Amino acid sequence: MQVEQLTTTVGQAMEGPLLVTPKVFGDDRGFFFESWNQRRFDEAVGAPTVFMQDNHSRSSRGVLRGLHYQLEPEPQGKLVRCTAGAIFDVAVDLRRSSATFGQWVATTLSAENHQQLWVPVGFAHGFLTLSETAEVLYKASGFWSKTCERSLRWDDPQLAISWLPDRMNGDAPLMAEKDSAAPGLAQALAAGDVFA
């Protein structure tokens, strides 16, 4: 397993999110890889991590899910992977005390590259489906909580996330109403809906 830190669009290393690339063994029969190993993951993130639930979604091309996060007392870290198709996966730093507050990192996760993105507590997470369909599985370190759940506006100019519009053929993304009506970073900050 190889683990690497991601950098923001301004070239600054972001502490927290990690790109996990498993060692894949393949031959003419197919492939095998270890998708989860508690000991190796704990070593990679530097702390024991307990996952409370696994989630599985299927989305069509152009579906944008997010940006989602949960506040205390049920915050969630997420280990995300795409098992069918491909997604553009984004993590936004919502830790006020962080040097990278309000900045984002992104990577393409696919069934082909087998990579996973670790999105720790303190970050909003979202993805855009790039393939005809995509199936995304993620382990969550906390239970889902309606009262703790928040959404952040996907196209907030303050965040300036590059959602790869060229891959959407100029079409607007398909999304849930709660996501399209989500507040921007300034509103979330004013409401106290960010992390310390």
Side-chain angles (χ1 to χ4, degrees):
M1 175 174 81
Q2 178 185 341
V3 178
E4 58 188 284
Q5 195 173 25
L6 299 170
T7 57
T8 67
T9 54
V10 295
Q12 187 172 2
M14 184 177 285
E15 186 179 318
L18 297 171
L19 184 63
V20 179
T21 304
K23 186 170 185 178
V24 180
F25 302 91
D27 58 27
D28 58 352
R29 298 169 301 151
F31 67 83
F32 169 86
F33 70 95
E34 194 173 76
S35 64
W36 170 248
N37 181 302
Q38 184 76 52
R39 183 181 311 127
R40 288 190 179 136
F41 187 76
D42 289 351
E43 288 170 2
V45 300
T49 304
V50 176
F51 290 108
M52 309 303 271
Q53 68 183 55
D54 281 2
N55 299 319
H56 185 154
S57 71
R58 180 184 166 117
S59 304
S60 302
R61 181 186 302 279
V63 168
L64 194 151
R65 295 185 185 269
L67 298 158
H68 301 147
Y69 62 104
Q70 284 191 190
L71 298 171
E72 295 286 348
E74 286 286 351
Q76 285 185 326
K78 298 173 183 175
L79 181 62
V80 184
R81 69 185 178 121
C82 183
T83 59
I87 62 170
F88 181 69
D89 207 32
V90 176
V92 178
D93 191 347
L94 295 181
R95 302 167 298 172
R96 276 191 317 256
S97 59
S98 169
T100 55
F101 175 74
Q103 294 182 44
W104 56 276
V105 293
T107 191
T108 298
L109 301 180
S110 70
E112 197 172 282
N113 68 23
H114 309 291
Q115 292 178 323
Q116 300 175 55
L117 180 63
W118 167 237
V119 182
V121 168
F123 290 79
H125 170 257
F127 67 86
L128 173 67
T129 306
L130 303 176
S131 51
E132 254 341 279
T133 60
E135 293 198 26
V136 176
L137 280 77
Y138 61 94
K139 300 177 116 23
S141 65
F143 293 112
W144 177 77
S145 167
K146 185 176 177 123
T147 57
C148 296
E149 182 184 46
R150 300 291 187 275
S151 292
L152 193 63
R153 189 160 181 86
W154 70 281
D155 62 350
D156 180 356
Q158 188 174 353
L159 299 176
I161 298 171
S162 173
W163 286 103
L164 305 175
D166 55 315
R167 298 196 186 194
M168 295 168 53
N169 299 322
D171 296 331
L174 305 169
M175 58 180 38
E177 189 176 325
K178 72 172 185 172
D179 292 341
S180 60
L185 181 60
Q187 292 168 293
L189 185 59
D193 286 347
V194 294
F195 298 86

